[in-house]
Amino acid sequence: MTAPEFPADGEPCWASAAASARGSAGTAPIAPAARISGGLTADVAVVGAGLAGLSTAYHLVERDPSLDIVVVDARHPAAGASGRGTGLLGPRIGPAVDRAARRFGPSTARRMYLASVTAVERVIALTEELGAPCGLRTGEQIVATRGAAGLASLARQAETYRALGLDVPVLSAAAIRERVDVPYHAGLLHRSAATLDPAALSGALAAACAAKGVRFHDGSPLRGLRPGSGARARTELLFPSGTLQARKTVLAVNAAAGELGLPVGTVLPLQVHAVATGPLGAETRAALGGATGTAVVDSVPLAPYFRLTDDGRLVVGGGRALHLPGLSPGRAAALRTDTWSQLEERLRLLHPGLAGVPVRHRWSGQIGMTLDDLPVVGHVGGHPDLWYIGGCCGHGLAMSVAHGAHVAESLVADRTAARGPAAHPWHRDRAPWAPLTARPARGLLRARLSGLDRAARRTP
């Protein structure tokens, strides 16, 4: 059988939605938008038409329909990580719960976990609110392990969940196999979870925003900005073909923060990978969570995880993460192809029914990682009307929507009100900084990623 040809970054199994990102069931499609040209103005400018930026615009226009809101993207809505993820909707933000409890204290760790559960529930409700199913499959998510190191990690997490009074039960190997017929030793069960098509959700948000009067401009990469000062000042955003001035600005640009020189700490651009089969037969589909809607995440970082789509395809993500800056195009392409091949091999080891199933889609996408595993949702350079959202560390599907809602609420609040204490640890203006332009720092980063890769490969 001849191997299929794949584009350089691949194509997700929801590629048609990702390519158009212009609405879905129940929403009117919007036409492709012109690039920024000349000198434009707005009340609020949102740069980045991924889930964080679209959620910001959506919640802003819901709260104040009189606002003139402009959403600008370098390509088009859902062209980046929001259209190229794997669609796992689970309750996770920041470090594992035991490390979060040690770092921030039990009370804050508990609030962090509950905030992520609320974020999952909000996205599920949002699909109904938008009238767009988005391939939603509600179910459970299991964080499971096949190795001794994973068992020790899960035991620490399970004890912390119990101490915090959180409902995250331990599953035995037999209990896992009742849900998915894959041999894991043990796992933790998250009841509030789902899977969906992230490009369709992005498209539905874009269409809903457009229907409420939000203006869109595609094909307009941000080249620079000049923050305003004073009560009536506007931030000026610079694009290849024009400018945009806005009273309030949200930079939902994730790992592009470094390219733009934003003073938000280090948000590493990492390339992650996924593959997907064609639709599975009924028996194999049932064995891999078809009846329960269960998704499985390995407790080892970068080890493969899997989920079924609503039309019965198996999506497997994980494997090597690439820090592309400094890699030649040829080397990056070779590593990407090798990672896809590894994922395909691991896919076939999950269940006997996958032995001859063809892999129809391979793709990669960029996530933003911080050095302390926490996102950044805060002001840029101390400017009260200039915000940044990014660094969800691969757990951004639910939390990006929550971050957008938080920023929207903050933007319409009285700007003269005193800024109170941060509601969560990620409501901050910057992440830790690392000098990644220095050769030793790049070497340490690549050594760390290689170590994670080796650990993932050792996972059965």
Short mmCIF file of all heavy atoms in Angstrom, two decimals, residues 360-396:
data_model
loop_
_atom_site.label_atom_id
_atom_site.label_comp_id
_atom_site.label_asym_id
_atom_site.label_seq_id
_atom_site.Cartn_x
_atom_site.Cartn_y
_atom_site.Cartn_z
N ARG A 360 -5.03 8.30 8.35
CA ARG A 360 -5.48 9.20 7.29
C ARG A 360 -4.98 10.64 7.47
O ARG A 360 -4.95 11.40 6.50
CB ARG A 360 -7.01 9.22 7.22
CG ARG A 360 -7.64 7.88 6.93
CD ARG A 360 -7.30 7.41 5.54
NE ARG A 360 -8.09 6.25 5.14
CZ ARG A 360 -7.83 5.50 4.08
NH1 ARG A 360 -6.77 5.78 3.33
NH2 ARG A 360 -8.59 4.47 3.79
N HIS A 361 -4.64 11.01 8.68
CA HIS A 361 -4.27 12.40 8.94
C HIS A 361 -3.08 12.44 9.88
O HIS A 361 -3.00 11.70 10.86
CB HIS A 361 -5.43 13.17 9.57
CG HIS A 361 -6.65 13.24 8.71
ND1 HIS A 361 -6.87 14.26 7.82
CD2 HIS A 361 -7.71 12.39 8.61
CE1 HIS A 361 -8.01 14.04 7.19
NE2 HIS A 361 -8.54 12.93 7.65
N ARG A 362 -2.14 13.33 9.58
CA ARG A 362 -1.02 13.65 10.45
C ARG A 362 -0.93 15.18 10.50
O ARG A 362 -1.05 15.83 9.46
CB ARG A 362 0.29 13.09 9.90
CG ARG A 362 0.33 11.60 9.71
CD ARG A 362 1.69 11.20 9.18
NE ARG A 362 1.81 9.76 8.99
CZ ARG A 362 2.95 9.14 8.69
NH1 ARG A 362 4.06 9.86 8.53
NH2 ARG A 362 2.99 7.83 8.54
N TRP A 363 -0.71 15.72 11.67
CA TRP A 363 -0.57 17.17 11.74
C TRP A 363 0.24 17.57 12.97
O TRP A 363 0.47 16.76 13.88
CB TRP A 363 -1.92 17.86 11.73
CG TRP A 363 -2.79 17.72 12.95
CD1 TRP A 363 -2.91 18.60 13.98
CD2 TRP A 363 -3.70 16.64 13.24
NE1 TRP A 363 -3.83 18.16 14.90
CE2 TRP A 363 -4.33 16.95 14.46
CE3 TRP A 363 -4.05 15.46 12.59
CZ2 TRP A 363 -5.29 16.13 15.06
CZ3 TRP A 363 -4.99 14.62 13.17
CH2 TRP A 363 -5.60 14.95 14.38
N SER A 364 0.70 18.79 12.95
CA SER A 364 1.40 19.36 14.09
C SER A 364 0.87 20.77 14.33
O SER A 364 0.25 21.37 13.46
CB SER A 364 2.91 19.39 13.85
OG SER A 364 3.24 20.23 12.78
N GLY A 365 1.11 21.29 15.52
CA GLY A 365 0.68 22.63 15.86
C GLY A 365 1.55 23.18 16.97
O GLY A 365 2.22 22.43 17.68
N GLN A 366 1.53 24.48 17.13
CA GLN A 366 2.39 25.13 18.10
C GLN A 366 1.65 25.46 19.37
O GLN A 366 0.54 25.99 19.34
CB GLN A 366 2.96 26.42 17.50
CG GLN A 366 3.95 27.14 18.41
CD GLN A 366 4.61 28.30 17.71
OE1 GLN A 366 5.60 28.15 17.01
NE2 GLN A 366 4.04 29.48 17.87
N ILE A 367 2.24 25.10 20.50
CA ILE A 367 1.70 25.49 21.80
C ILE A 367 2.68 26.45 22.46
O ILE A 367 3.82 26.59 22.03
CB ILE A 367 1.45 24.27 22.71
CG1 ILE A 367 2.77 23.54 23.02
CG2 ILE A 367 0.44 23.33 22.08
CD1 ILE A 367 2.63 22.45 24.07
N GLY A 368 2.22 27.11 23.50
CA GLY A 368 3.09 28.01 24.27
C GLY A 368 3.32 27.43 25.65
O GLY A 368 2.37 27.17 26.39
N MET A 369 4.59 27.22 26.01
CA MET A 369 4.95 26.65 27.31
C MET A 369 5.68 27.70 28.15
O MET A 369 6.52 28.44 27.65
CB MET A 369 5.88 25.45 27.13
CG MET A 369 5.25 24.26 26.46
SD MET A 369 4.06 23.38 27.50
CE MET A 369 5.10 22.84 28.86
N THR A 370 5.35 27.74 29.43
CA THR A 370 6.09 28.59 30.36
C THR A 370 6.98 27.71 31.24
O THR A 370 6.76 26.50 31.35
CB THR A 370 5.14 29.39 31.25
OG1 THR A 370 4.36 28.50 32.04
CG2 THR A 370 4.23 30.28 30.41
N LEU A 371 7.96 28.31 31.88
CA LEU A 371 8.90 27.53 32.67
C LEU A 371 8.31 27.02 33.97
O LEU A 371 8.86 26.11 34.59
CB LEU A 371 10.14 28.38 32.98
CG LEU A 371 10.91 28.91 31.76
CD1 LEU A 371 12.18 29.61 32.21
CD2 LEU A 371 11.23 27.80 30.78
N ASP A 372 7.18 27.58 34.41
CA ASP A 372 6.56 27.12 35.66
C ASP A 372 5.19 26.49 35.42
O ASP A 372 4.42 26.30 36.37
CB ASP A 372 6.44 28.28 36.65
CG ASP A 372 5.58 29.42 36.15
OD1 ASP A 372 5.10 29.36 35.00
OD2 ASP A 372 5.38 30.40 36.91
N ASP A 373 4.87 26.16 34.17
CA ASP A 373 3.64 25.42 33.81
C ASP A 373 2.36 26.22 33.97
O ASP A 373 1.27 25.65 33.88
CB ASP A 373 3.50 24.12 34.63
CG ASP A 373 4.65 23.17 34.42
OD1 ASP A 373 5.13 23.07 33.27
OD2 ASP A 373 5.09 22.52 35.39
N LEU A 374 2.45 27.52 34.18
CA LEU A 374 1.26 28.34 34.35
C LEU A 374 1.09 29.30 33.19
O LEU A 374 2.08 29.86 32.69
CB LEU A 374 1.33 29.15 35.64
CG LEU A 374 1.08 28.42 36.95
CD1 LEU A 374 1.37 29.36 38.11
CD2 LEU A 374 -0.35 27.91 37.03
N PRO A 375 -0.16 29.55 32.76
CA PRO A 375 -0.40 30.57 31.73
C PRO A 375 -0.10 31.98 32.25
O PRO A 375 0.17 32.20 33.44
CB PRO A 375 -1.90 30.41 31.43
CG PRO A 375 -2.27 29.08 31.97
CD PRO A 375 -1.38 28.84 33.14
N VAL A 376 -0.18 32.92 31.33
CA VAL A 376 -0.06 34.34 31.66
C VAL A 376 -1.31 35.04 31.12
O VAL A 376 -1.59 34.99 29.93
CB VAL A 376 1.19 34.98 31.02
CG1 VAL A 376 1.27 36.46 31.36
CG2 VAL A 376 2.45 34.26 31.50
N VAL A 377 -2.05 35.65 32.01
CA VAL A 377 -3.24 36.43 31.63
C VAL A 377 -3.15 37.73 32.41
O VAL A 377 -3.51 37.80 33.60
CB VAL A 377 -4.54 35.68 31.97
CG1 VAL A 377 -5.76 36.49 31.48
CG2 VAL A 377 -4.55 34.29 31.36
N GLY A 378 -2.62 38.77 31.77
CA GLY A 378 -2.42 40.00 32.52
C GLY A 378 -2.04 41.17 31.62
O GLY A 378 -2.13 41.10 30.40
N HIS A 379 -1.60 42.25 32.25
CA HIS A 379 -1.25 43.47 31.54
C HIS A 379 0.13 43.38 30.91
O HIS A 379 1.00 42.64 31.38
CB HIS A 379 -1.30 44.67 32.50
CG HIS A 379 -2.66 44.95 33.05
ND1 HIS A 379 -2.87 45.36 34.35
CD2 HIS A 379 -3.88 44.86 32.48
CE1 HIS A 379 -4.16 45.53 34.55
NE2 HIS A 379 -4.80 45.23 33.44
N VAL A 380 0.32 44.13 29.87
CA VAL A 380 1.61 44.19 29.17
C VAL A 380 2.32 45.47 29.57
O VAL A 380 1.81 46.58 29.34
CB VAL A 380 1.41 44.14 27.64
CG1 VAL A 380 2.76 44.27 26.93
CG2 VAL A 380 0.71 42.85 27.23
N GLY A 381 3.50 45.32 30.16
CA GLY A 381 4.30 46.48 30.49
C GLY A 381 3.65 47.46 31.43
O GLY A 381 3.95 48.66 31.40
N GLY A 382 2.72 46.98 32.26
CA GLY A 382 2.06 47.86 33.21
C GLY A 382 0.96 48.72 32.64
O GLY A 382 0.37 49.53 33.35
N HIS A 383 0.64 48.57 31.36
CA HIS A 383 -0.42 49.38 30.74
C HIS A 383 -1.79 48.77 31.07
O HIS A 383 -2.07 47.62 30.69
CB HIS A 383 -0.22 49.45 29.23
CG HIS A 383 1.05 50.12 28.83
ND1 HIS A 383 1.20 51.49 28.82
CD2 HIS A 383 2.25 49.61 28.45
CE1 HIS A 383 2.43 51.80 28.45
NE2 HIS A 383 3.08 50.68 28.21
N PRO A 384 -2.69 49.47 31.74
CA PRO A 384 -3.96 48.89 32.20
C PRO A 384 -4.90 48.50 31.07
O PRO A 384 -5.77 47.66 31.27
CB PRO A 384 -4.56 50.00 33.07
CG PRO A 384 -3.93 51.26 32.58
CD PRO A 384 -2.54 50.88 32.16
N ASP A 385 -4.74 49.09 29.89
CA ASP A 385 -5.65 48.78 28.78
C ASP A 385 -4.98 47.96 27.69
O ASP A 385 -5.46 47.89 26.56
CB ASP A 385 -6.19 50.08 28.18
CG ASP A 385 -7.11 50.81 29.14
OD1 ASP A 385 -7.78 50.13 29.95
OD2 ASP A 385 -7.17 52.06 29.10
N LEU A 386 -3.87 47.30 28.04
CA LEU A 386 -3.15 46.44 27.10
C LEU A 386 -2.93 45.09 27.76
O LEU A 386 -2.19 44.98 28.74
CB LEU A 386 -1.82 47.10 26.71
CG LEU A 386 -0.94 46.35 25.70
CD1 LEU A 386 -1.68 46.10 24.39
CD2 LEU A 386 0.34 47.15 25.45
N TRP A 387 -3.59 44.05 27.23
CA TRP A 387 -3.60 42.73 27.85
C TRP A 387 -2.91 41.69 26.96
O TRP A 387 -2.88 41.82 25.74
CB TRP A 387 -5.04 42.28 28.10
CG TRP A 387 -5.72 42.98 29.23
CD1 TRP A 387 -6.21 44.25 29.25
CD2 TRP A 387 -5.99 42.43 30.52
NE1 TRP A 387 -6.76 44.53 30.46
CE2 TRP A 387 -6.66 43.43 31.27
CE3 TRP A 387 -5.76 41.19 31.12
CZ2 TRP A 387 -7.08 43.23 32.58
CZ3 TRP A 387 -6.18 40.98 32.43
CH2 TRP A 387 -6.83 41.99 33.14
N TYR A 388 -2.42 40.65 27.63
CA TYR A 388 -1.83 39.50 26.93
C TYR A 388 -2.46 38.23 27.48
O TYR A 388 -2.73 38.11 28.69
CB TYR A 388 -0.31 39.45 27.15
CG TYR A 388 0.31 38.13 26.75
CD1 TYR A 388 0.58 37.85 25.40
CD2 TYR A 388 0.61 37.16 27.70
CE1 TYR A 388 1.13 36.63 25.04
CE2 TYR A 388 1.17 35.94 27.33
CZ TYR A 388 1.42 35.68 26.00
OH TYR A 388 1.96 34.47 25.64
N ILE A 389 -2.69 37.24 26.58
CA ILE A 389 -3.16 35.91 26.98
C ILE A 389 -2.28 34.88 26.28
O ILE A 389 -2.10 34.93 25.06
CB ILE A 389 -4.63 35.66 26.56
CG1 ILE A 389 -5.56 36.74 27.12
CG2 ILE A 389 -5.09 34.28 27.03
CD1 ILE A 389 -6.99 36.62 26.60
N GLY A 390 -1.74 33.93 27.03
CA GLY A 390 -0.95 32.88 26.39
C GLY A 390 -0.33 31.94 27.40
O GLY A 390 -0.48 32.08 28.62
N GLY A 391 0.39 30.94 26.87
CA GLY A 391 1.14 30.02 27.72
C GLY A 391 0.30 28.99 28.44
O GLY A 391 0.57 28.69 29.61
N CYS A 392 -0.66 28.38 27.77
CA CYS A 392 -1.51 27.38 28.43
C CYS A 392 -0.84 26.01 28.54
O CYS A 392 -1.42 25.08 29.10
CB CYS A 392 -2.84 27.24 27.70
SG CYS A 392 -4.00 28.57 28.08
N CYS A 393 0.35 25.87 28.00
CA CYS A 393 1.17 24.67 28.21
C CYS A 393 0.50 23.39 27.74
O CYS A 393 0.64 22.32 28.35
CB CYS A 393 1.57 24.55 29.68
SG CYS A 393 2.45 25.99 30.32
N GLY A 394 -0.25 23.49 26.64
CA GLY A 394 -0.88 22.30 26.08
C GLY A 394 -2.21 21.94 26.68
O GLY A 394 -2.81 20.93 26.30
N HIS A 395 -2.71 22.74 27.62
CA HIS A 395 -4.00 22.47 28.26
C HIS A 395 -4.94 23.65 28.03
O HIS A 395 -5.62 24.11 28.96
CB HIS A 395 -3.82 22.22 29.75
CG HIS A 395 -2.89 21.10 30.07
ND1 HIS A 395 -3.22 19.77 29.89
CD2 HIS A 395 -1.61 21.11 30.52
CE1 HIS A 395 -2.19 19.01 30.23
NE2 HIS A 395 -1.20 19.79 30.62
N GLY A 396 -5.00 24.14 26.79
CA GLY A 396 -5.65 25.41 26.56
C GLY A 396 -7.06 25.39 26.03
O GLY A 396 -7.65 26.46 25.88
#
